[in-house]
Amino acid sequence: MRVSKALIPTVKETPQEAEIPSHKLMLRAGLMRKVAAGFYEYLPLGQKVILKINQIIREEMERAGAQEVLMPIMTPAELWQETGRWEKYGKELMRVQDRHERHFALGPTHEEVITDLVRRELKSYKQLPMNLFQIATKFRDEVRPRFGVMRSREFLMKDGYSFDVDDAAADKTYWIMVEAYKRIFKRCGLTFSPVEADSGLIGGSFTHEFMVLADTGEAAVAMCSACDYAANLEKAFGVPTAHAATTAGGPFQKVETPGKHTVEHVGELLKLPAQQFIKTLVFIADGKPVVVLVRGDHDVNEVKVQNYLQAAEIALASGDKVYEVTKAPVGFAGPVGLKDVRIIADKALQGGHQYVTGGLEKNIHLTNVELGRDFAEPEWGDFRNVISGDGCPKCGKPLKVGRGIEVGQTFKLGLKYSQPMHCVYLDENGKDKEAVMGCYGIGVTRTVGATIEQHNDADGIIWPIATAPYQVHLLLLNPAEPEVAKIADQYYEDLKQAGYEVLYDDRMEASAGFKFKDADLLGFPISVRVGARGLKEGLIEIKRRREKDVMKVPVADVLVKVKEVAEAEWKLCTP
Ligand code: ATP
Ligand code: MG
C-alpha cells in the first residue's frame, strides 16, 4: 500500500482524553477513532491488526479441535431468564426491544445462546466432546469505559464453549484450551502469564486468567520469582514474612495515642514495626457486621472474606456503623473487649506476640496484646492480600506483586449452564446426562491494546512482526528526485514479490524527518529508507524498530538483510 493513497491519519499531538500509552498511540498512529464513549471505529491499520490476531486464534482453535460458528448479537430475553442472568447481569447488559416489544440483550457473552443451540443438536455421547467458538462483537455497558480498547462498551471477543461427557473429559478439554491460549499469546509476541483466578462461589469450577504483564494493567498479580506459580491477587496465597515479636510480653497496657489512628502514625509514635500491629476492620456482609483482623503490614482481601462468609454482598462499614459495632471511633477499634460480633482473623497473625491494637476508646491503643489470652481465639482463615516478599506457596521463594492486563480467561463451568438449561445427551446406557461445560474468552481488541502497552517507547509502537499491520515500512526520502524514486519504486515491487507486506511512504509533500517520525510512531518491525545521500555511496538504510542503530546496507544486499531481520523477529513470535 502506498501512503499517498491510504487512510492513515497520524497525529503528532497526544490526545488529551487518553491516559495510557496504548490509547494514546492507537489514536496517534491512526489505528482507530472514537465514535462515542466506549465505541470505536477501527481504521485500516487497526483492522489489519485485528484480522491478524483473529487468524492466529482461528488456527490455534482449529488445532485444538474447536469449530467456528457465528451467533447473533441480539439474544432473546427468554434465554437469559432461564439462567436468572436477565436480572443478575444488571445494568451492564444492554437491552433492546423489537417492534413487537419483545426484549433482547446485546450479547455480552454467549453461554445461554450456545447452550440452547447445543441442547437442540446434541443427542448422543458419540457427538462429544463438542467444542465451538466464534469471533464476534460483544456489548457491555461498563460503568466506566476507559483506556480506549481496554475497557470499551463494544468490543471484539473470541468466545468458545466446550461440552464433554463427564468431569474428567471436561478437564482434559480445559487443559487443551489452556495450551492453545499459551500458543496464541506467544504467537502474538506477548509476555504473559496464565494466573489462577477466583471463580466466585461456583463449586467444583476453576479458572485461569491470561495476563499480559504491563505496569498499566488493571489487575494485580502475584508471581513467584523462581517457579511458575502465578495468581490473581484476589486468589493468591503467600507465606507471610516473619513476626516482629516471637515471645509473649507482660500484660497488655493502654497507651495514649492522641490523634493517631493509622498503623503508620501509631507505629512512628511507639517505634514499632507494622508487623506488630493488628488492624481491625468492620465489614457488613449481607446486612450483618463482621470484624476482620489482619496484621498491620497486610490488607484485607474482600473477595476472600466474601467467599469465606458465602455472602452475596460485602462492603466496608461506614464510620457510624463501626461505632455502633465496636463503640470505638474509626481508627481505634480493636479485638480486646469486643462483644457480640463475629470475628474472623487472618492466619498470618498466628504465632505473633506483643501486638498493638486499637483500644476501643478515642486516642487509646493497647500494647502487649496476646491472641487467645486477651481476646478469644477468632475464626482463622486466609483473608489478606499477598504482598511482595511473601513466600511462594509452591516453592517458598519470594513472591512479587505486579500488574497485568487480562486478555483472556478460561473457565471450567461444570453444570452451571447445562443443568438449568437442561442440556443433556444420551449416555452409553441410554440415560440422560448433563453435558459438562467449559468456556474460553479472548478479548481481541483488548489484545491489540495490550500488545501496544507492552511494546512501545517514547517514539511510538514497536509491533511484534506477527501482528504488525505491515512488516516493512519503505521510506522514499527524496521523492522529488526521479532517480531515487525509481529505485524506491523497484524495492517496493521486489519486497512485495519476496512476500512481505509493505507500506510505501511515497508522499511528495512529507519531509524525510516527518517520514522517520511516522515510521517510529507506526512501529512496523523493519523500515527500509531510500535516500539520495545513501545511494551516492551505494547504500540503503535499514532500521529494526526495536533497535536504536540504523544499518547501512549495500544496495544489492537489501533483501538478504530484510530477510535476516524478519527471521529474527519471527523467532520472538514462535511458541
Ligand atoms: P474484566 O474483569 O476485565 O472486566 P471480564 O473478566 O469481565 O473482564 P470475561 O467475561 O472473562 O471478562 O471476557 C473475556 C475477555 O473479554 C476478557 O478476558 C477481556 O480480554 C475481554 N473483555 C471483557 N470486557 C471487556 C471490555 N469492556 N472491553 C474490552 N475487552 C473486554
Ligand atoms: Mg475475565
Side-chain angles (χ1 to χ4, degrees):
M1 171 57 74
R2 287 173 180 264
V3 175
S4 57
K5 306 260 184 311
L7 177 63
I8 305 175
T10 55
V11 182
K12 207 168 136 206
E13 299 76 31
T14 301
Q16 284 210 327
E17 78 221 63
E19 294 167 60
I20 60 171
S22 63
H23 191 189
K24 290 176 193 167
L25 289 169
M26 286 182 77
L27 294 169
R28 282 193 57 212
L31 267 64
M32 67 170 190
R33 288 291 181 260
K34 178 170 128 181
V35 183
F39 294 91
Y40 293 95
E41 294 144 334
Y42 296 94
L43 306 192
L45 291 191
Q47 173 66 355
K48 265 186 175 292
V49 180
I50 287 172
L51 291 176
K52 288 193 174 184
I53 295 172
N54 286 351
Q55 184 58 25
I56 292 171
I57 292 174
R58 287 196 167 101
E59 286 170 19
E60 293 303 329
M61 286 297 106
E62 189 115 327
R63 180 200 289 267
Q67 283 181 282
E68 186 164 356
V69 294
L70 186 57
M71 291 179 269
I73 287 169
M74 288 261 284
T75 60
E78 292 75 34
L79 288 179
W80 294 89
Q81 280 153 354
E82 278 191 55
T83 59
R85 287 214 288 184
W86 183 253
E87 273 77 43
K88 239 185 268 165
Y89 226 108
K91 288 192 172 164
E92 211 169 295
L93 196 63
M94 288 206 187
R95 296 157 211 253
V96 289
Q97 285 183 26
D98 69 7
R99 65 169 77 203
H100 309 291
E101 289 176 14
R102 279 191 290 249
H103 294 272
F104 291 81
L106 301 182
T109 176
H110 276 65
E111 283 82 6
E112 281 82 354
V113 183
I114 195 101
T115 308
D116 175 55
L117 165 68
V118 172
R119 74 180 163 187
R120 284 181 275 126
E121 303 305 325
L122 180 62
K123 305 283 178 305
S124 151
Y125 69 93
K126 289 181 192 144
Q127 290 166 275
L128 300 178
M130 194 185 285
N131 195 343
L132 303 169
F133 76 100
Q134 65 170 347
I135 299 177
T137 300
K138 295 281 183 280
F139 291 86
R140 293 184 186 182
D141 204 353
E142 300 275 358
V143 197
R144 274 189 73 198
R146 59 190 176 147
F147 301 150
V149 297
M150 295 298 193
R151 190 164 295 284
S152 48
R153 297 199 287 169
E154 178 184 316
F155 57 97
L156 257 190
M157 198 206 284
K158 186 288 293 188
D159 47 327
Y161 309 87
S162 65
F163 299 80
D164 273 283
V165 287
D166 58 21
D167 241 20
D171 284 0
K172 199 171 149 209
T173 302
Y174 182 88
W175 291 110
I176 290 173
M177 293 306 279
V178 167
E179 281 314 306
Y181 270 42
K182 288 187 189 165
R183 287 184 59 89
I184 288 167
F185 295 120
K186 179 72 205 169
R187 284 185 60 186
C188 288
L190 294 167
T191 305
F192 66 95
S193 177
V195 311
E196 292 173 22
D198 174 62
S199 59
L201 298 174
I202 313 153
S205 58
F206 51 92
T207 176
H208 285 84
E209 288 168 346
F210 287 75
M211 294 288 188
V212 166
L213 306 175
D215 294 339
T216 48
E218 284 188 275
V221 185
M223 276 169 301
C224 182
S225 51
C227 75
D228 65 353
Y229 178 77
N232 187 309
L233 209 63
E234 288 180 352
K235 148 123 189 194
F237 177 72
V239 182
T241 50
H243 291 288
T246 50
T247 54
F252 76 79
Q253 283 165 0
K254 279 189 179 188
V255 291
E256 292 210 16
T257 51
K260 314 263 184 221
H261 35 65
T262 62
V263 168
E264 194 194 340
H265 291 147
V266 181
E268 273 168 18
L269 186 75
L270 303 177
K271 304 208 166 27
L272 290 172
Q275 288 98 301
Q276 212 166 322
F277 281 70
I278 296 178
K279 276 194 216 170
T280 305
L281 291 114
V282 183
F283 284 86
I284 306 296
D286 292 343
K288 288 204 204 93
V290 180
V291 168
V292 186
L293 308 179
V294 292
R295 213 168 75 175
D297 57 331
H298 294 154
D299 284 317
V300 174
N301 180 317
E302 261 185 54
V303 174
K304 290 179 181 177
V305 172
Q306 182 172 19
N307 287 349
Y308 176 80
L309 298 173
Q310 303 263 309
E313 267 180 38
I314 188 163
L316 206 56
S318 63
D320 290 351
K321 258 286 183 234
V322 172
Y323 186 77
E324 204 182 302
V325 175
T326 66
K327 304 286 176 291
V330 175
F332 299 96
V336 181
L338 199 58
K339 284 196 234 25
D340 306 324
V341 63
R342 186 171 179 188
I343 304 178
I344 64 175
D346 182 66
K347 285 187 295 199
L349 285 167
Q350 285 175 322
H353 295 279
Q354 301 179 39
Y355 280 117
V356 181
T357 71
L360 292 188
E361 278 178 57
K362 192 170 170 148
N363 296 338
I364 296 293
H365 276 80
L366 307 180
T367 58
N368 272 352
V369 171
E370 290 297 315
L371 278 158
R373 182 189 79 181
D374 301 329
F375 65 99
E377 285 276 334
E379 294 171 49
W380 294 108
D382 174 28
F383 302 127
R384 70 172 182 104
N385 285 334
V386 161
I387 54 173
S388 288
D390 280 346
C392 169
K394 261 189 167 170
C395 76
K397 292 272 161 35
L399 291 174
K400 235 181 84 186
V401 177
R403 303 206 72 82
I405 300 162
E406 181 199 315
V407 285
Q409 185 161 22
T410 50
F411 217 115
K412 164 107 179 283
L413 291 169
L415 305 178
K416 190 179 173 200
Y417 295 92
S418 40
Q419 207 159 52
M421 295 189 70
H422 200 63
C423 177
V424 297
Y425 66 92
L426 280 180
D427 74 3
E428 279 171 295
N429 306 316
K431 271 176 62 181
D432 267 356
K433 262 198 165 163
E434 281 143 354
V436 183
M437 289 175 60
C439 74
Y440 318 93
I442 292 180
V444 175
T445 39
R446 188 184 281 183
T447 300
V448 178
T451 304
I452 298 172
E453 218 50 60
Q454 202 173 61
H455 300 283
N456 72 78
D457 64 14
D459 299 319
I461 306 169
I462 306 172
W463 286 108
I465 197 163
T467 54
Y470 290 91
Q471 298 151 350
V472 180
H473 205 159
L474 176 65
L475 314 182
L476 167 55
L477 303 182
N478 312 92
E481 294 184 33
E483 275 311 301
V484 182
K486 211 175 120 199
I487 291 169
D489 282 355
Q490 191 57 49
Y491 277 123
Y492 182 45
E493 296 309 321
D494 292 350
L495 284 161
K496 282 193 294 178
Q497 192 64 38
Y500 298 102
E501 296 163 309
V502 188
L503 183 70
Y504 179 22
D505 197 344
D506 61 339
R507 285 175 293 180
M508 285 303 288
E509 71 286 1
S511 68
F514 198 88
K515 290 180 181 180
F516 291 145
K517 278 219 155 37
D518 260 8
D520 281 341
L521 174 62
L522 296 182
F524 308 154
I526 307 160
S527 62
V528 176
R529 294 122 185 254
V530 183
R533 206 185 305 159
L535 282 176
K536 256 187 217 132
E537 300 169 47
L539 297 172
I540 300 279
E541 289 187 353
I542 296 180
K543 187 165 180 296
R544 191 173 174 185
R545 178 62 180 87
R546 68 177 71 247
E547 283 172 4
K548 239 182 129 47
D549 296 331
V550 176
M551 294 170 269
K552 292 195 168 147
V553 179
V555 173
D557 298 345
V558 170
L559 272 106
V560 177
K561 194 71 206 172
V562 168
K563 183 160 180 253
E564 191 187 304
V565 177
E567 278 170 359
E569 286 288 328
W570 276 111
K571 272 217 180 89
L572 303 173
C573 300
T574 306

